Amino acid sequence: MPAPSVLGTAPLPALPHWEETPAELPAAIRQIKAALRARIAASGRTVEEVFAVVEQQIKTEVDEITAARERGETIWPVIDYSDIEAGTVAAEALALLRRRGCLVVRGHFDREQALAWDRDIVDYVEGNKFFENYRGPGDDFFGSVGSKPEIYPIYWSPAQMQARQDDRMAQVQGFLNSLWKHESEGVQWFDPDGDSLYPDRIRRRPEGADSAGLGTHLDPGTLDLWMTAGYQKAFRHLFDGTVEQHDPWDAAYRTAGPQYPGTTMCSAFRTFQGWTALSDMGHDQGVLHTVPIVGAMAYLMLRPLLADVPDDDMCGVTVNQVFPANDKWHPLLMQALSGIPDVQAGDSVWWHCDMIHSVAPVQNQQGWGNVMYIPAAPWCPRNEHYAANVREAFVTGSSPSDFPTEHYERTWTNRFQPDDLNDTGRRGLPYASLRDHDARHP
Ligand SMILES: [Fe+2]
């Protein structure tokens, strides 16, 4: 489709923006949708035309995924850790990873190491009487899983910290970060070689468990994705008539801006979300699924602007709830939903931060389903800002501020200590700041 000739000849109308959650949500949604439509129209293209470009790109990917599935192929890219470490990942594997936006790293950690970490976590929580003191789900998102803790609100076990600061973790995070464009327009948006050790929880789902799973959703934000100045710039090509130039791997304008608060928010910029398997898991045992199309976000961002969506509705996206993806508004995308292959303890699983994902339901689960959530969250202004909270939480054994205020570990004396940090750990949780903390709180 030719680029419209009007581009560059007249400035496009500016967008209203809200750097904090708007007080009147329906009114703000009506206002931003009208403004986005007007801006696209001023570029010389219609919303329908722009959406059709994205829809065609997505359709090509969906058809390719459907055909691969029919051929019996594994949809998720799989790469051996040894190839990442040696820099010998094949060009075709890299191309598939760029297209699908998700990855299983085989042998990321030695299987025995992962199983030992799993045992260490059990010792850590049992030794500290976690189950006796468990007060029930601390949030209303994972809370729907059940009354027994499958998600442990535990952040500072030696096992988790050892994995976060391990050289092999840094290798994989650096490899994944390198898929992104981290420098453009004279700005370094993030540092691909340093990670901020974003602390997250543990999932341990026992043998025999029944779980309803989690529906298809996204984690990068909610209405802020359309309404803050930063995200409006990050998604600029979708809204200014240059949709062909939209690049899901461009970090520009994503690594500093604010986010609307909510129980499911992530304050960090994550290039990839991820977890490390602490048990073997069969592909049909309630595992992670994604819509493995890295361009799907463009579809999700433009879909609410079409005429069949009510003016005060963003296809169900609202603050303080996860961003839903579903058959009602996104049936094309849902056709591509694909689960991970069988994984072993020590493998890790990664998905682009804007990717639709879900956890399949399971009945009478065979084997355990245990993971440590460890993403790739490279150094950038946004992660530096959050790191101040993380350091404080680390030193005091608190729940980090992105999570419910449960603070189970504050009185647990055998949690990971500042002296146990290696160089990677000290870069992620800057040591000087920890010393300052000790000086202030002797
Ligand atoms: Fe999620």
Side-chain angles (χ1 to χ4, degrees), residues 97-115:
L97 170 55
R98 282 191 170 278
R99 221 167 145 178
R100 298 265 160 92
C102 56
L103 174 67
V104 173
V105 178
R106 287 272 182 239
H108 187 168
F109 293 102
D110 183 71
R111 184 164 178 274
E112 291 309 314
Q113 167 71 84
L115 294 174

PDB file of all heavy atoms in Angstrom, residues 97-115:
ATOM      1  N   LEU A  97      12.614 -17.136  15.819  1.00  0.00           N
ATOM      2  CA  LEU A  97      12.444 -16.481  17.112  1.00  0.00           C
ATOM      3  C   LEU A  97      11.947 -15.047  16.929  1.00  0.00           C
ATOM      4  O   LEU A  97      11.044 -14.591  17.642  1.00  0.00           O
ATOM      5  CB  LEU A  97      13.779 -16.518  17.869  1.00  0.00           C
ATOM      6  CG  LEU A  97      13.914 -15.704  19.147  1.00  0.00           C
ATOM      7  CD1 LEU A  97      12.823 -16.051  20.145  1.00  0.00           C
ATOM      8  CD2 LEU A  97      15.291 -15.933  19.775  1.00  0.00           C
ATOM      9  N   ARG A  98      12.491 -14.324  15.959  1.00  0.00           N
ATOM     10  CA  ARG A  98      12.053 -12.944  15.701  1.00  0.00           C
ATOM     11  C   ARG A  98      10.599 -12.895  15.261  1.00  0.00           C
ATOM     12  O   ARG A  98       9.890 -11.936  15.530  1.00  0.00           O
ATOM     13  CB  ARG A  98      12.909 -12.313  14.597  1.00  0.00           C
ATOM     14  CG  ARG A  98      14.245 -11.878  15.073  1.00  0.00           C
ATOM     15  CD  ARG A  98      14.952 -11.016  14.038  1.00  0.00           C
ATOM     16  NE  ARG A  98      16.123 -10.426  14.637  1.00  0.00           N
ATOM     17  CZ  ARG A  98      16.098  -9.336  15.393  1.00  0.00           C
ATOM     18  NH1 ARG A  98      14.966  -8.705  15.599  1.00  0.00           N
ATOM     19  NH2 ARG A  98      17.213  -8.896  15.940  1.00  0.00           N
ATOM     20  N   ARG A  99      10.170 -13.926  14.563  1.00  0.00           N
ATOM     21  CA  ARG A  99       8.804 -13.971  14.063  1.00  0.00           C
ATOM     22  C   ARG A  99       7.819 -14.381  15.148  1.00  0.00           C
ATOM     23  O   ARG A  99       6.777 -13.776  15.335  1.00  0.00           O
ATOM     24  CB  ARG A  99       8.776 -15.030  12.970  1.00  0.00           C
ATOM     25  CG  ARG A  99       7.988 -14.673  11.805  1.00  0.00           C
ATOM     26  CD  ARG A  99       8.284 -15.636  10.699  1.00  0.00           C
ATOM     27  NE  ARG A  99       7.041 -15.832   9.978  1.00  0.00           N
ATOM     28  CZ  ARG A  99       6.932 -16.585   8.909  1.00  0.00           C
ATOM     29  NH1 ARG A  99       7.983 -17.240   8.470  1.00  0.00           N
ATOM     30  NH2 ARG A  99       5.770 -16.689   8.308  1.00  0.00           N
ATOM     31  N   ARG A 100       8.198 -15.433  15.874  1.00  0.00           N
ATOM     32  CA  ARG A 100       7.267 -15.995  16.855  1.00  0.00           C
ATOM     33  C   ARG A 100       7.326 -15.246  18.192  1.00  0.00           C
ATOM     34  O   ARG A 100       6.361 -15.251  18.948  1.00  0.00           O
ATOM     35  CB  ARG A 100       7.587 -17.475  17.071  1.00  0.00           C
ATOM     36  CG  ARG A 100       7.420 -18.336  15.814  1.00  0.00           C
ATOM     37  CD  ARG A 100       6.039 -18.999  15.746  1.00  0.00           C
ATOM     38  NE  ARG A 100       5.707 -19.423  14.387  1.00  0.00           N
ATOM     39  CZ  ARG A 100       5.946 -20.621  13.869  1.00  0.00           C
ATOM     40  NH1 ARG A 100       6.520 -21.552  14.617  1.00  0.00           N
ATOM     41  NH2 ARG A 100       5.617 -20.906  12.633  1.00  0.00           N
ATOM     42  N   GLY A 101       8.484 -14.696  18.533  1.00  0.00           N
ATOM     43  CA  GLY A 101       8.580 -13.876  19.738  1.00  0.00           C
ATOM     44  C   GLY A 101       8.563 -14.650  21.042  1.00  0.00           C
ATOM     45  O   GLY A 101       8.354 -14.077  22.112  1.00  0.00           O
ATOM     46  N   CYS A 102       8.750 -15.965  20.969  1.00  0.00           N
ATOM     47  CA  CYS A 102       8.797 -16.756  22.197  1.00  0.00           C
ATOM     48  C   CYS A 102       9.785 -17.903  22.004  1.00  0.00           C
ATOM     49  O   CYS A 102      10.161 -18.223  20.875  1.00  0.00           O
ATOM     50  CB  CYS A 102       7.413 -17.266  22.580  1.00  0.00           C
ATOM     51  SG  CYS A 102       6.584 -18.221  21.303  1.00  0.00           S
ATOM     52  N   LEU A 103      10.205 -18.503  23.117  1.00  0.00           N
ATOM     53  CA  LEU A 103      11.350 -19.406  23.032  1.00  0.00           C
ATOM     54  C   LEU A 103      11.415 -20.348  24.224  1.00  0.00           C
ATOM     55  O   LEU A 103      11.154 -19.941  25.358  1.00  0.00           O
ATOM     56  CB  LEU A 103      12.636 -18.549  23.021  1.00  0.00           C
ATOM     57  CG  LEU A 103      13.978 -19.272  23.070  1.00  0.00           C
ATOM     58  CD1 LEU A 103      14.205 -20.068  21.787  1.00  0.00           C
ATOM     59  CD2 LEU A 103      15.115 -18.293  23.284  1.00  0.00           C
ATOM     60  N   VAL A 104      11.806 -21.593  23.951  1.00  0.00           N
ATOM     61  CA  VAL A 104      12.223 -22.508  25.009  1.00  0.00           C
ATOM     62  C   VAL A 104      13.740 -22.642  24.910  1.00  0.00           C
ATOM     63  O   VAL A 104      14.267 -22.935  23.831  1.00  0.00           O
ATOM     64  CB  VAL A 104      11.568 -23.897  24.854  1.00  0.00           C
ATOM     65  CG1 VAL A 104      12.159 -24.886  25.863  1.00  0.00           C
ATOM     66  CG2 VAL A 104      10.055 -23.797  25.035  1.00  0.00           C
ATOM     67  N   VAL A 105      14.437 -22.396  26.018  1.00  0.00           N
ATOM     68  CA  VAL A 105      15.886 -22.611  26.065  1.00  0.00           C
ATOM     69  C   VAL A 105      16.124 -23.967  26.726  1.00  0.00           C
ATOM     70  O   VAL A 105      15.843 -24.150  27.924  1.00  0.00           O
ATOM     71  CB  VAL A 105      16.612 -21.503  26.854  1.00  0.00           C
ATOM     72  CG1 VAL A 105      18.112 -21.800  26.930  1.00  0.00           C
ATOM     73  CG2 VAL A 105      16.366 -20.142  26.207  1.00  0.00           C
ATOM     74  N   ARG A 106      16.593 -24.905  25.924  1.00  0.00           N
ATOM     75  CA  ARG A 106      16.872 -26.261  26.434  1.00  0.00           C
ATOM     76  C   ARG A 106      18.178 -26.267  27.220  1.00  0.00           C
ATOM     77  O   ARG A 106      19.173 -25.702  26.772  1.00  0.00           O
ATOM     78  CB  ARG A 106      17.046 -27.235  25.274  1.00  0.00           C
ATOM     79  CG  ARG A 106      15.778 -27.580  24.567  1.00  0.00           C
ATOM     80  CD  ARG A 106      15.083 -28.767  25.214  1.00  0.00           C
ATOM     81  NE  ARG A 106      13.874 -29.096  24.468  1.00  0.00           N
ATOM     82  CZ  ARG A 106      12.656 -29.107  24.979  1.00  0.00           C
ATOM     83  NH1 ARG A 106      12.461 -28.822  26.260  1.00  0.00           N
ATOM     84  NH2 ARG A 106      11.621 -29.416  24.237  1.00  0.00           N
ATOM     85  N   GLY A 107      18.127 -26.909  28.384  1.00  0.00           N
ATOM     86  CA  GLY A 107      19.357 -27.052  29.164  1.00  0.00           C
ATOM     87  C   GLY A 107      19.913 -25.720  29.639  1.00  0.00           C
ATOM     88  O   GLY A 107      21.125 -25.552  29.747  1.00  0.00           O
ATOM     89  N   HIS A 108      19.013 -24.776  29.907  1.00  0.00           N
ATOM     90  CA  HIS A 108      19.482 -23.469  30.409  1.00  0.00           C
ATOM     91  C   HIS A 108      20.290 -23.684  31.696  1.00  0.00           C
ATOM     92  O   HIS A 108      21.373 -23.135  31.873  1.00  0.00           O
ATOM     93  CB  HIS A 108      18.270 -22.580  30.647  1.00  0.00           C
ATOM     94  CG  HIS A 108      18.612 -21.175  31.005  1.00  0.00           C
ATOM     95  ND1 HIS A 108      17.696 -20.172  31.035  1.00  0.00           N
ATOM     96  CD2 HIS A 108      19.790 -20.609  31.361  1.00  0.00           C
ATOM     97  CE1 HIS A 108      18.294 -19.042  31.394  1.00  0.00           C
ATOM     98  NE2 HIS A 108      19.557 -19.286  31.603  1.00  0.00           N
ATOM     99  N   PHE A 109      19.727 -24.505  32.557  1.00  0.00           N
ATOM    100  CA  PHE A 109      20.479 -24.938  33.741  1.00  0.00           C
ATOM    101  C   PHE A 109      20.517 -26.453  33.745  1.00  0.00           C
ATOM    102  O   PHE A 109      19.647 -27.120  33.174  1.00  0.00           O
ATOM    103  CB  PHE A 109      19.815 -24.432  35.029  1.00  0.00           C
ATOM    104  CG  PHE A 109      19.865 -22.949  35.177  1.00  0.00           C
ATOM    105  CD1 PHE A 109      18.738 -22.166  34.894  1.00  0.00           C
ATOM    106  CD2 PHE A 109      21.028 -22.307  35.577  1.00  0.00           C
ATOM    107  CE1 PHE A 109      18.783 -20.788  35.008  1.00  0.00           C
ATOM    108  CE2 PHE A 109      21.081 -20.921  35.695  1.00  0.00           C
ATOM    109  CZ  PHE A 109      19.954 -20.163  35.411  1.00  0.00           C
ATOM    110  N   ASP A 110      21.533 -26.985  34.385  1.00  0.00           N
ATOM    111  CA  ASP A 110      21.636 -28.414  34.577  1.00  0.00           C
ATOM    112  C   ASP A 110      20.378 -28.907  35.306  1.00  0.00           C
ATOM    113  O   ASP A 110      19.905 -28.271  36.248  1.00  0.00           O
ATOM    114  CB  ASP A 110      22.895 -28.674  35.412  1.00  0.00           C
ATOM    115  CG  ASP A 110      23.129 -30.142  35.601  1.00  0.00           C
ATOM    116  OD1 ASP A 110      23.491 -30.798  34.615  1.00  0.00           O
ATOM    117  OD2 ASP A 110      22.913 -30.636  36.729  1.00  0.00           O
ATOM    118  N   ARG A 111      19.847 -30.034  34.845  1.00  0.00           N
ATOM    119  CA  ARG A 111      18.596 -30.531  35.435  1.00  0.00           C
ATOM    120  C   ARG A 111      18.748 -30.751  36.945  1.00  0.00           C
ATOM    121  O   ARG A 111      17.856 -30.422  37.732  1.00  0.00           O
ATOM    122  CB  ARG A 111      18.182 -31.825  34.725  1.00  0.00           C
ATOM    123  CG  ARG A 111      16.860 -32.378  35.189  1.00  0.00           C
ATOM    124  CD  ARG A 111      16.317 -33.424  34.209  1.00  0.00           C
ATOM    125  NE  ARG A 111      15.058 -33.979  34.695  1.00  0.00           N
ATOM    126  CZ  ARG A 111      14.979 -34.997  35.541  1.00  0.00           C
ATOM    127  NH1 ARG A 111      16.070 -35.580  35.974  1.00  0.00           N
ATOM    128  NH2 ARG A 111      13.801 -35.417  35.969  1.00  0.00           N
ATOM    129  N   GLU A 112      19.880 -31.324  37.356  1.00  0.00           N
ATOM    130  CA  GLU A 112      20.101 -31.587  38.793  1.00  0.00           C
ATOM    131  C   GLU A 112      20.130 -30.285  39.596  1.00  0.00           C
ATOM    132  O   GLU A 112      19.665 -30.233  40.730  1.00  0.00           O
ATOM    133  CB  GLU A 112      21.400 -32.384  38.998  1.00  0.00           C
ATOM    134  CG  GLU A 112      21.325 -33.816  38.478  1.00  0.00           C
ATOM    135  CD  GLU A 112      20.073 -34.560  39.008  1.00  0.00           C
ATOM    136  OE1 GLU A 112      19.786 -34.468  40.218  1.00  0.00           O
ATOM    137  OE2 GLU A 112      19.379 -35.199  38.181  1.00  0.00           O
ATOM    138  N   GLN A 113      20.697 -29.244  38.981  1.00  0.00           N
ATOM    139  CA  GLN A 113      20.726 -27.933  39.647  1.00  0.00           C
ATOM    140  C   GLN A 113      19.297 -27.416  39.865  1.00  0.00           C
ATOM    141  O   GLN A 113      18.957 -26.934  40.953  1.00  0.00           O
ATOM    142  CB  GLN A 113      21.524 -26.951  38.783  1.00  0.00           C
ATOM    143  CG  GLN A 113      21.381 -25.494  39.174  1.00  0.00           C
ATOM    144  CD  GLN A 113      22.077 -25.165  40.484  1.00  0.00           C
ATOM    145  OE1 GLN A 113      23.275 -24.900  40.515  1.00  0.00           O
ATOM    146  NE2 GLN A 113      21.338 -25.206  41.585  1.00  0.00           N
ATOM    147  N   ALA A 114      18.475 -27.540  38.837  1.00  0.00           N
ATOM    148  CA  ALA A 114      17.095 -27.047  38.944  1.00  0.00           C
ATOM    149  C   ALA A 114      16.312 -27.849  39.988  1.00  0.00           C
ATOM    150  O   ALA A 114      15.555 -27.283  40.787  1.00  0.00           O
ATOM    151  CB  ALA A 114      16.403 -27.105  37.585  1.00  0.00           C
ATOM    152  N   LEU A 115      16.513 -29.159  40.002  1.00  0.00           N
ATOM    153  CA  LEU A 115      15.810 -29.989  40.989  1.00  0.00           C
ATOM    154  C   LEU A 115      16.295 -29.672  42.404  1.00  0.00           C
ATOM    155  O   LEU A 115      15.508 -29.678  43.360  1.00  0.00           O
ATOM    156  CB  LEU A 115      15.995 -31.472  40.661  1.00  0.00           C
ATOM    157  CG  LEU A 115      15.343 -31.931  39.331  1.00  0.00           C
ATOM    158  CD1 LEU A 115      15.721 -33.384  39.030  1.00  0.00           C
ATOM    159  CD2 LEU A 115      13.821 -31.763  39.376  1.00  0.00           C
TER     160      LEU A 115
END
